[in-house]
Amino acid sequence: MKFQDFNFVSQLQEGLDTMGFTKPTPIQQEAIPHILANKDLIACAQTGTGKTASYLLPLLHKIQEAGISHTDTVILSPTRELAMQIDQQIMGLAYFTGCTSIAVYGGGDGFSYEQQKRSLTDGVNIVVATPGRLIAHLTSGTVNLKKVKHLVLDEADRMLDMGFYDDIVRIISYLPAKRQNLLFSATMPPKIRSLSKKILHNPVEVNIAISQPSEGILQQAYLAFDDQKMALLKLILSNKSFKSVIVFASRKETVKKLNSALNRANISSEAFHSDLEQEDREDIMVRFRGKSLPILVGTDVISRGIDVVGIDLVVNYDVPPDPEDYIHRIGRTARAETTGTAITFINDKDQQKFARIETLIAKEIPKLPLPEGFGDAPVYNPKAKKAFNPKWKNKNFRKKA
Ligand code: AMP
């Protein structure tokens, strides 16, 4: 199948050609015809499947074909990073069309709020927004959503996890009742089902099987106690063939501590987490994308959606609580058919979580022995309630790394 088969307006096809998209991905093949046919849709698809273009293309086609000049589409995103990325993809695909868009998210300064307000007052075609900031604009009366015909909830599961349910319902109360609703979610827990029952009308369901990690990723793990992890990380980072690296940790406190420890060891890195000002986040991402910043230490804020080509190593300093986050985290490397390495540190408490990941990806990940001088590692026994810790047997058994 080719994109030409959808008969998109020529300006959109031109955008596709310029972006080098030749063949629709499976989610695009399945979702686009339903969206063009004005059906409500619930789609289970992760980042990396091409899900963003699967809804942007038919919506841009409709806006361009009808010559719409008001705000026609609202896309809700859990994070500003994803909102910015969706907006960037609109800019690329819509380059030759007359369609306009704006990304509306919090965390910026008063200037960006004013800038968003002006663009919203002018009536852009597509508003991509995080729920909280959109509500701020709605209550101040700057945005008119009375003619909106399309609502997209992107990464809906993430939005619910982040507590946006009430905000979503509130935003919907500003929209006309007659509209097309598209819900995209990486997972389909019961709360997504009940949200979809509340919002969608006779939806078509599209299910793209969980995308397994790319074959180009070399996956490895070390069993390591918490007090062995830092030395192990430094040793791994001393391998100069890793030029662009993301180190993931589940909590932002760990991210901050890790980053400071790396900086103290003269290793150039930046911490990326939700406490940062928008300006700092953007500056860090620009430097990381441009490869002048070699190492990013971050929470799962960057595990989804951040599309940086050329990351050759992902280190999971801890095991992510949600097995699917593992796939998202390691999917930051080996993008666009390159290769990459993903190394996970498993402490004595994280073994069951890691076993769940191995079940999800239907693969056993090799556990490498700790380098010499690191002492004993935890024994891998995920079935035990708590893995055996040699420290319990003999406190001086293990050398401190
Ligand atoms: P997404 O799942 O929407 O985050 O998309 C993942 C990546 O795939 C993004 O970098 C898109 O630009 C890219 N992409 C989306 N659709 C296609 C396509 N049909 N051909 C090639 N790349 C694509």
Side-chain angles (χ1 to χ4, degrees):
M1 187 179 202
K2 297 195 298 291
F3 276 114
Q4 279 83 352
D5 299 332
F6 294 122
N7 280 322
F8 289 139
V9 288
S10 60
Q11 297 90 338
L12 196 52
Q13 186 56 50
E14 229 178 310
L16 280 166
D17 295 342
T18 310
M19 286 182 78
F21 291 9
T22 47
K23 203 175 161 295
T25 63
I27 181 76
Q28 292 162 0
Q29 292 187 25
E30 288 205 39
I32 291 173
H34 297 304
I35 302 176
L36 287 174
N38 300 320
K39 295 267 190 340
D40 275 13
L41 180 87
I42 176 166
C44 186
Q46 286 88 27
T47 300
T49 53
K51 57 148 175 94
T52 316
S54 80
Y55 62 79
L56 288 181
L57 286 165
L59 295 178
L60 286 167
H61 167 82
K62 290 191 210 185
I63 293 170
Q64 177 71 10
E65 195 175 44
I68 284 166
S69 57
H70 53 260
T71 301
D72 167 273
T73 295
V74 171
I75 301 170
L76 295 181
S77 141
T79 61
R80 44 192 137 175
E81 283 73 27
L82 182 64
M84 283 161 68
Q85 221 159 276
I86 296 168
D87 191 41
Q88 275 162 11
Q89 209 165 131
I90 298 174
M91 283 192 255
L93 292 170
Y95 188 81
F96 299 99
T97 72
C99 300
T100 53
S101 67
I102 184 181
V104 170
Y105 44 79
D109 48 20
F111 175 70
S112 62
Y113 183 83
E114 284 307 314
Q115 222 176 13
Q116 290 171 5
K117 200 165 148 177
R118 269 199 304 281
S119 309
L120 288 168
T121 317
D122 287 348
V124 287
N125 295 137
I126 304 179
V127 175
V128 188
T130 52
R133 180 53 74 99
L134 184 56
I135 285 185
H137 284 290
L138 279 166
T139 45
S140 76
T142 37
V143 51
N144 179 349
L145 302 181
K146 293 202 171 70
K147 292 184 180 169
V148 166
K149 284 257 175 338
H150 308 101
L151 170 71
V152 181
L153 304 179
D154 200 344
E155 293 193 1
D157 50 349
R158 194 101 172 146
M159 284 201 276
L160 295 191
D161 287 348
M162 290 169 77
F164 285 138
Y165 181 88
D166 290 342
D167 286 354
I168 293 171
V169 172
R170 191 152 165 222
I171 288 167
I172 289 175
S173 73
Y174 286 86
L175 305 180
K178 199 168 173 317
R179 54 169 201 273
Q180 185 180 21
N181 303 289
L182 311 171
L183 184 151
F184 286 78
S185 190
T187 55
M188 283 295 153
K191 57 188 178 184
I192 288 290
R193 295 269 164 214
S194 55
L195 178 73
S196 78
K197 275 208 189 86
K198 197 174 162 78
I199 298 175
L200 312 188
H201 305 287
N202 301 324
V204 178
E205 196 163 331
V206 171
N207 228 314
I208 296 298
I210 172 126
S211 50
Q212 292 293 350
S214 140
E215 286 298 318
I217 308 174
L218 174 66
Q219 299 178 64
Q220 299 172 329
Y222 284 100
L223 291 150
F225 291 105
D226 285 341
D227 61 359
Q228 293 171 313
K229 286 180 175 180
M230 192 62 215
L232 186 58
L233 178 64
K234 284 185 195 159
L235 189 72
I236 291 168
L237 294 178
S238 69
N239 178 344
K240 294 294 168 227
S241 63
F242 296 132
K243 294 194 168 44
S244 186
V245 179
I246 299 185
V247 180
F248 281 109
S250 298
R251 300 173 60 236
K252 62 185 164 207
E253 289 70 29
T254 317
V255 162
K256 289 177 194 173
K257 266 194 219 149
L258 266 179
N259 186 55
S260 305
L262 291 178
N263 291 167
R264 277 198 303 278
N266 285 327
I267 297 171
S268 170
S269 65
E270 290 278 6
F272 196 94
H273 47 75
S274 54
D275 284 352
L276 288 183
E277 292 295 328
Q278 181 61 21
E279 211 176 303
D280 296 328
R281 287 173 173 230
E282 280 169 28
D283 171 65
I284 291 172
M285 281 319 289
V286 165
R287 285 190 288 133
F288 188 62
R289 275 205 169 93
K291 307 284 180 260
S292 63
L293 172 66
I295 302 167
L296 205 57
V297 186
T299 56
D300 284 293
V301 167
I302 43 174
S303 77
R304 294 190 193 213
I306 299 301
D307 195 21
V308 177
V309 175
I311 296 169
D312 28 40
L313 173 67
V314 167
V315 178
N316 292 315
Y317 198 78
D318 50 32
V319 178
D322 176 357
E324 282 174 5
D325 276 333
Y326 175 82
I327 297 179
H328 288 298
R329 284 185 182 188
I330 73 166
R332 298 309 101 205
T333 184
R335 287 182 91 69
E337 292 174 20
T338 57
T339 54
T341 304
I343 301 175
T344 303
F345 296 171
I346 314 166
N347 69 11
D348 41 325
K349 294 173 226 87
D350 282 348
Q351 299 195 358
Q352 284 170 328
K353 277 192 244 167
F354 196 73
R356 285 206 297 275
I357 292 169
E358 290 184 318
T359 307
L360 179 72
I361 63 174
K363 191 172 177 170
E364 197 175 320
I365 297 165
K367 323 282 178 306
L368 307 184
L370 285 177
E372 207 157 318
F374 273 72
D376 280 335
V379 177
Y380 192 54
N381 183 11
K383 290 204 177 82
K385 227 178 163 43
K386 207 162 199 182
F388 175 70
N389 179 341
K391 270 201 279 192
W392 302 333
K393 202 168 78 180
N394 178 352
K395 277 197 175 354
N396 302 317
F397 194 56
R398 190 163 45 84
K399 270 193 264 169
K400 211 165 166 66

